[in-house]
Amino acid sequence: MKKLAAILALALAMAFALPALASAVTLNVYNWGDYIDVETLREFEQRTGIKVVYDTFETNEDMYTKLRNTPTSYDLIFPSDYMVERMIRERMLLPIDMAGMPNAQTYTDPRFLHQVYDPEQAYSVPYTWGTVGILYNNALAAEAPISWDALWDGAYANDILMLNSARDTIGTALKRLGFSLNSVDLDELEAAKLSLIEQSPLVLAYVVDEVKDKMIAGEAALALVWSGDAKYSMDENPDLDYVVPIEGSNLFFDAMCVPASSKNPVEAQMLIDFLCEPEIAMQNYLYVGYAIPNMGAIALLGDEYTDSMVTNPPQEVLDRCEVFRDLRDDVKLYDRIWTEILMSLY
Ligand code: N2P
């Protein structure tokens, strides 16, 4: 009976929605895997009659390459800081007007605005932020790690998951050796590369989104992760904990941007502003687990948000973190050493 009622409701909804959809715009959205509660997109469709086609990527570099090389055009993308910086420089983004977005304007914590990657705040609206650290399983790790050295500890052979992401993995190796994660010094990069090749026999797998399920299932003792994935996994498995190692790490900001090739920039900005509504931002936070810059949603969440050391790390942790920068032509150095590391695995 319930099923019949659901089918009827669906048919009715479709009957009402169809005339609207026939003339409506389709927005193509390209986001990180597991980075939104798709229910919020359905809500946007219902409210506006705008259809959303949703597609995902695993790394900034994958997103960039796809946008460069395929004629497919997206209307809304979610790059990180250094990639926003690069895409602005390469004229791949459309200027957007935050003043025309009441929710973005009202609820975005000003601390997240005018960052070095978009100083004029002319091309991006902050979406989420976080750190890179070690997610570890207290039942499998001999002790709580404090240093990146744990990921190079032979005692964890085949019990370590690394990120299949060039900047994150090379950046971690650089930080462990005491260098900047934006280094373009050939000797420092060579040292980072050799250390990752030396580490590779200990690594169970290089993964991105699968890290959550694997850590929840207890398949590895340690994993290099983004903080939101740590929070998500810790909520599912009480043995898991997260640390930002003493040598320091990456602090990232992910943003919403409209590609220069978008055919529907107005509707894309409607969606950006919708995602900045406190209730919607809260719903997405509860689903994805990444820290948010939305003051309205944080007020609604209360202690649940502010008490989480993972989501909301103390200043002392943030102080030892660095933000990735656009490396311009030197990104080729990273591409080369990442290829050499991956080749060494076979
Ligand atoms: C979520 C991707 C997180 C993005 N799966 C880290 N910048």
Side-chain angles (χ1 to χ4, degrees), residues 33-149:
D34 304 331
Y35 222 31
I36 202 163
D37 178 354
V38 289
E39 289 303 318
T40 62
L41 297 176
R42 302 290 86 89
E43 164 86 20
F44 176 77
E45 288 180 319
Q46 288 207 324
R47 269 202 228 171
T48 61
I50 297 169
K51 186 171 154 50
V52 175
V53 175
Y54 189 69
D55 195 5
T56 60
F57 57 84
E58 288 203 321
T59 64
N60 278 297
E61 289 68 26
D62 289 353
M63 182 274 301
Y64 174 87
T65 308
K66 178 111 181 238
L67 221 65
R68 270 266 172 241
N69 295 346
T70 71
T72 329
S73 104
Y74 290 102
D75 299 298
L76 177 59
I77 56 172
F78 293 70
S80 304
D81 36 56
Y82 72 97
M83 191 53 79
V84 175
E85 192 179 0
R86 175 177 189 177
M87 294 177 91
I88 293 174
R89 177 170 60 80
E90 298 184 0
R91 302 191 187 286
M92 291 173 73
L93 300 179
L94 216 62
I96 52 181
D97 183 15
M98 251 183 86
M101 299 183 205
N103 294 311
Q105 187 79 0
T106 311
Y107 298 113
T108 307
D109 184 337
R111 288 186 301 145
F112 294 91
L113 299 175
H114 304 283
Q115 298 278 324
V116 62
Y117 64 86
D118 183 9
E120 308 295 326
Q121 204 62 50
Y123 295 92
S124 64
V125 173
Y127 180 62
T128 45
W129 63 278
T131 55
V132 173
I134 301 175
L135 177 65
Y136 59 97
N137 187 321
N138 280 304
L140 301 174
E143 57 193 350
I146 50 166
S147 158
W148 288 122
D149 285 343

Side-chain angles (χ1 to χ4, degrees), residues 32-35 57-58 60 80 128 168 208-209 212 226 229 252-254 290:
W32 299 79
D34 304 331
Y35 222 31
F57 57 84
E58 288 203 321
N60 278 297
S80 304
T128 45
D168 293 291
V208 183
D209 292 328
K212 301 188 286 303
W226 296 307
D229 288 2
F252 64 81
F253 304 100
D254 291 343
Y290 280 80

